[in-house]
Amino acid sequence: DLQPAEAAIQAAIGVPPERFFTPYAAAIDARVRGLIAGAGYVPVGWTAPADDWDFGATAEAVHETVMERVQDGAIVELHLDAPATAASTAVALPRIVADLRAAGYRFVTIPEMALPCPRG
């Protein structure tokens, strides 16, 4: 899966992708981590699933789930292609961002998260 995906991404954007990979449904065990690392990637999984993948997802439920699960250093999993995305995740996301910022969180990329913490 990694090699065809890498080729397709590079063909689409013109540069090789970042060397981070999230297995489907966070199916990360020792074997998968070894395969990913052997291909030169860093395995990345989420720590705060929004549970927004189902037909019954609502904006309120997505917001509540994320806010309950987020903590410092969290990686939030959101679906942009789920059956209810337009009515759930898309509606909840601006409120999630605003509420997390108001609570003092800031948003960074996975490569930024991988950097050493500054000493302070």
Side-chain angles (χ1 to χ4, degrees), residues 75-97:
I75 298 174
V76 178
E77 177 212 25
L78 298 167
H79 292 85
L80 303 177
D81 60 349
T85 293
S88 61
T89 307
V91 173
L93 191 54
R95 185 172 162 215
I96 291 168
V97 169

Side-chain angles (χ1 to χ4, degrees), residues 29-43:
D29 59 21
R31 182 187 69 81
V32 173
R33 281 192 300 276
L35 290 169
I36 294 167
Y41 283 83
V42 175

Side-chain angles (χ1 to χ4, degrees), residues 105-120:
Y105 289 97
R106 65 185 184 92
F107 297 87
V108 297
T109 64
I110 297 296
E112 289 172 316
M113 286 182 82
L115 294 173
C117 293
R119 296 179 188 241

